Coordinates of all heavy atoms in Angstrom, one line a residue:
V1 N -7.7 20.8 -21.8 CA -6.5 21.0 -21.1 C -6.6 20.9 -19.6 O -5.8 20.2 -19.0 CB -5.9 22.4 -21.5 CG1 -4.7 22.8 -20.6 CG2 -5.5 22.5 -22.9
I2 N -7.6 21.5 -19.0 CA -7.8 21.4 -17.6 C -8.1 20.0 -17.1 O -7.4 19.5 -16.2 CB -9.0 22.3 -17.1 CG1 -8.7 23.8 -17.5 CG2 -9.2 22.2 -15.6 CD1 -7.4 24.4 -16.9
L3 N -9.0 19.3 -17.7 CA -9.3 17.9 -17.4 C -8.1 17.0 -17.6 O -7.8 16.2 -16.7 CB -10.5 17.4 -18.2 CG -10.9 16.0 -17.9 CD1 -11.3 15.7 -16.5 CD2 -12.1 15.6 -18.9
G4 N -7.4 17.2 -18.7 CA -6.3 16.4 -19.0 C -5.1 16.6 -18.0 O -4.5 15.6 -17.6
F5 N -4.9 17.8 -17.5 CA -3.8 18.0 -16.6 C -4.2 17.5 -15.2 O -3.3 17.1 -14.4 CB -3.5 19.5 -16.5 CG -2.4 19.9 -17.4 CD1 -2.7 20.6 -18.6 CD2 -1.1 19.6 -17.1 CE1 -1.6 20.9 -19.5 CE2 0.0 20.0 -18.0 CZ -0.3 20.7 -19.2
I6 N -5.4 17.4 -14.8 CA -5.8 16.8 -13.6 C -5.4 15.3 -13.6 O -4.8 14.8 -12.7 CB -7.3 17.0 -13.3 CG1 -7.6 18.4 -13.0 CG2 -7.7 16.1 -12.1 CD1 -9.1 18.7 -12.9
L7 N -5.8 14.6 -14.7 CA -5.5 13.2 -14.8 C -4.0 13.0 -15.0 O -3.4 12.1 -14.4 CB -6.2 12.7 -16.1 CG -7.7 12.6 -16.0 CD1 -8.3 12.2 -17.4 CD2 -8.1 11.6 -15.0
L8 N -3.3 13.9 -15.7 CA -1.9 13.8 -15.8 C -1.2 13.9 -14.5 O -0.3 13.2 -14.2 CB -1.4 14.8 -16.8 CG 0.2 14.9 -17.0 CD1 0.7 13.6 -17.6 CD2 0.6 16.1 -17.8
G9 N -1.6 14.9 -13.7 CA -0.9 15.1 -12.4 C -1.1 13.9 -11.5 O -0.1 13.5 -10.8
L10 N -2.2 13.3 -11.5 CA -2.5 12.2 -10.6 C -1.7 11.0 -11.0 O -1.2 10.2 -10.2 CB -4.0 11.8 -10.6 CG -4.9 12.9 -10.0 CD1 -6.4 12.5 -10.1 CD2 -4.6 13.1 -8.5
S11 N -1.5 10.8 -12.3 CA -0.7 9.6 -12.8 C 0.8 9.9 -12.9 O 1.6 9.1 -12.4 CB -1.2 9.2 -14.2 OG -1.1 10.3 -15.1
F12 N 1.1 11.1 -13.5 CA 2.6 11.4 -13.6 C 3.2 11.6 -12.3 O 4.4 11.3 -12.2 CB 2.6 12.7 -14.5 CG 4.1 13.1 -14.9 CD1 4.7 12.3 -15.8 CD2 4.7 14.2 -14.3 CE1 6.0 12.7 -16.2 CE2 6.0 14.5 -14.6 CZ 6.6 13.8 -15.6
G13 N 2.5 12.0 -11.3 CA 3.1 12.3 -10.0 C 3.7 11.0 -9.3 O 4.6 11.1 -8.5
Q14 N 3.1 9.9 -9.7 CA 3.6 8.6 -9.1 C 4.2 7.6 -10.1 O 4.7 6.6 -9.7 CB 2.4 7.9 -8.4 CG 1.9 8.7 -7.2 CD 2.9 8.9 -6.1 OE1 3.6 8.0 -5.7 NE2 3.0 10.2 -5.7
A15 N 4.3 8.0 -11.4 CA 4.7 7.1 -12.4 C 6.2 6.7 -12.2 O 6.5 5.5 -12.2 CB 4.5 7.7 -13.8
S16 N 7.1 7.7 -12.0 CA 8.5 7.4 -11.8 C 8.7 6.6 -10.5 O 9.6 5.8 -10.4 CB 9.3 8.7 -11.9 OG 9.2 9.2 -13.2
G17 N 8.0 7.0 -9.5 CA 8.1 6.3 -8.2 C 7.8 4.8 -8.3 O 8.4 4.0 -7.7
A18 N 6.8 4.5 -9.1 CA 6.4 3.1 -9.3 C 7.5 2.4 -10.0 O 7.7 1.2 -9.7 CB 5.1 3.1 -10.1
V19 N 8.1 3.0 -11.0 CA 9.2 2.4 -11.7 C 10.4 2.1 -10.7 O 10.9 1.0 -10.7 CB 9.7 3.3 -12.9 CG1 11.0 2.7 -13.5 CG2 8.6 3.3 -13.9
A20 N 10.8 3.1 -10.0 CA 11.9 2.9 -9.1 C 11.7 1.8 -8.0 O 12.6 1.1 -7.6 CB 12.3 4.2 -8.4
A21 N 10.4 1.8 -7.6 CA 10.1 0.8 -6.5 C 10.1 -0.6 -7.0 O 10.1 -1.6 -6.2 CB 8.6 1.1 -6.0
S22 N 10.2 -0.8 -8.3 CA 10.3 -2.2 -8.9 C 11.6 -2.8 -8.8 O 11.8 -4.0 -9.1 CB 9.8 -2.1 -10.4 OG 8.5 -1.6 -10.5
F23 N 12.6 -2.1 -8.4 CA 14.0 -2.6 -8.5 C 14.6 -2.7 -7.1 O 14.3 -1.9 -6.2 CB 14.9 -1.7 -9.3 CG 14.4 -1.4 -10.7 CD1 14.1 -0.1 -11.1 CD2 14.1 -2.4 -11.6 CE1 13.6 0.2 -12.3 CE2 13.6 -2.2 -12.8 CZ 13.3 -0.9 -13.2
G24 N 15.5 -3.7 -6.9 CA 16.2 -3.8 -5.7 C 17.2 -2.7 -5.5 O 17.6 -2.1 -6.5
K25 N 17.6 -2.4 -4.3 CA 18.4 -1.2 -4.0 C 19.7 -1.3 -4.8 O 20.2 -0.3 -5.2 CB 18.6 -1.1 -2.5 CG 17.4 -0.7 -1.8 CD 17.7 -0.5 -0.3 CE 16.4 -0.1 0.5 NZ 16.7 0.0 1.9
G26 N 20.3 -2.4 -4.9 CA 21.6 -2.5 -5.5 C 21.7 -2.1 -6.9 O 22.7 -1.7 -7.4
Y27 N 20.5 -2.3 -7.6 CA 20.5 -2.0 -9.1 C 19.6 -0.8 -9.4 O 19.4 -0.5 -10.6 CB 20.0 -3.2 -9.8 CG 21.0 -4.4 -9.8 CD1 20.8 -5.4 -8.8 CD2 22.1 -4.4 -10.6 CE1 21.7 -6.4 -8.8 CE2 23.0 -5.5 -10.5 CZ 22.8 -6.5 -9.6 OH 23.7 -7.5 -9.6
R28 N 19.0 -0.2 -8.4 CA 18.0 0.8 -8.6 C 18.5 2.0 -9.4 O 17.8 2.5 -10.3 CB 17.4 1.3 -7.3 CG 16.3 2.3 -7.4 CD 15.7 2.6 -6.1 NE 14.9 1.5 -5.6 CZ 14.4 1.4 -4.4 NH1 14.5 2.4 -3.5 NH2 13.7 0.3 -4.0
Y29 N 19.7 2.4 -9.1 CA 20.2 3.6 -9.7 C 20.3 3.4 -11.3 O 19.8 4.2 -12.0 CB 21.6 3.9 -9.2 CG 22.3 5.1 -9.7 CD1 22.1 6.4 -9.2 CD2 23.3 5.0 -10.8 CE1 22.7 7.5 -9.8 CE2 23.9 6.1 -11.3 CZ 23.6 7.3 -10.8 OH 24.3 8.4 -11.3
T30 N 21.0 2.4 -11.7 CA 21.1 2.2 -13.1 C 19.8 1.7 -13.8 O 19.5 2.2 -14.9 CB 22.2 1.1 -13.4 OG1 23.5 1.6 -12.9 CG2 22.4 0.8 -14.9
A31 N 19.1 0.8 -13.1 CA 17.9 0.3 -13.7 C 16.8 1.4 -13.9 O 16.1 1.4 -14.9 CB 17.3 -0.9 -12.8
S32 N 16.7 2.3 -12.9 CA 15.8 3.4 -13.1 C 16.1 4.3 -14.2 O 15.3 4.7 -15.0 CB 15.8 4.2 -11.8 OG 15.2 3.4 -10.7
A33 N 17.4 4.5 -14.4 CA 17.8 5.4 -15.5 C 17.5 4.7 -16.9 O 17.0 5.4 -17.8 CB 19.3 5.7 -15.4
V34 N 17.9 3.5 -17.0 CA 17.6 2.8 -18.3 C 16.1 2.7 -18.6 O 15.7 2.9 -19.7 CB 18.3 1.4 -18.2 CG1 17.9 0.5 -19.4 CG2 19.8 1.5 -18.1
T35 N 15.4 2.3 -17.5 CA 13.9 2.1 -17.7 C 13.3 3.4 -18.1 O 12.4 3.5 -19.0 CB 13.3 1.6 -16.5 OG1 14.0 0.4 -16.1 CG2 11.8 1.3 -16.7
S36 N 13.7 4.5 -17.4 CA 13.1 5.8 -17.7 C 13.4 6.2 -19.2 O 12.5 6.7 -19.9 CB 13.7 6.9 -16.8 OG 13.2 8.2 -17.1
D37 N 14.6 6.0 -19.6 CA 15.0 6.4 -21.0 C 14.1 5.6 -22.0 O 13.6 6.2 -23.0 CB 16.5 6.1 -21.2 CG 17.4 7.0 -20.5 OD1 16.9 8.1 -20.0 OD2 18.6 6.7 -20.3
L38 N 14.0 4.3 -21.8 CA 13.3 3.5 -22.8 C 11.8 3.8 -22.7 O 11.1 3.7 -23.7 CB 13.6 2.0 -22.5 CG 15.0 1.6 -22.7 CD1 15.2 0.1 -22.3 CD2 15.5 1.8 -24.1
A39 N 11.3 4.1 -21.5 CA 9.9 4.5 -21.4 C 9.6 5.8 -22.1 O 8.5 5.9 -22.8 CB 9.5 4.6 -19.9
W40 N 10.5 6.7 -22.1 CA 10.3 8.0 -22.8 C 10.3 7.7 -24.3 O 9.5 8.4 -25.1 CB 11.3 9.0 -22.4 CG 11.1 9.7 -21.1 CD1 11.7 9.7 -20.0 CD2 10.0 10.7 -20.9 NE1 11.2 10.5 -19.0 CE2 10.1 11.1 -19.6 CE3 9.0 11.2 -21.7 CZ2 9.2 12.1 -19.0 CZ3 8.1 12.1 -21.1 CH2 8.2 12.5 -19.8

């Protein structure tokens, strides 16, 4: 649990930011929502 949460925190902390950064501003709102849903 301890080791896993260290790795999870380091990756999960930036995972959504990496997704949002992939989209242009005009479509970021909807694209981020859709991508997050499908990724889950």
Side-chain angles (χ1 to χ4, degrees):
V1 170
I2 300 300
L3 177 60
F5 267 102
I6 292 174
L7 292 171
L8 175 64
L10 293 176
S11 60
F12 187 71
Q14 295 300 312
S16 294
V19 171
S22 300
F23 307 119
K25 291 181 179 180
Y27 295 97
R28 179 173 295 173
Y29 179 84
T30 299
S32 294
V34 172
T35 305
S36 177
D37 291 342
L38 297 177
W40 279 112

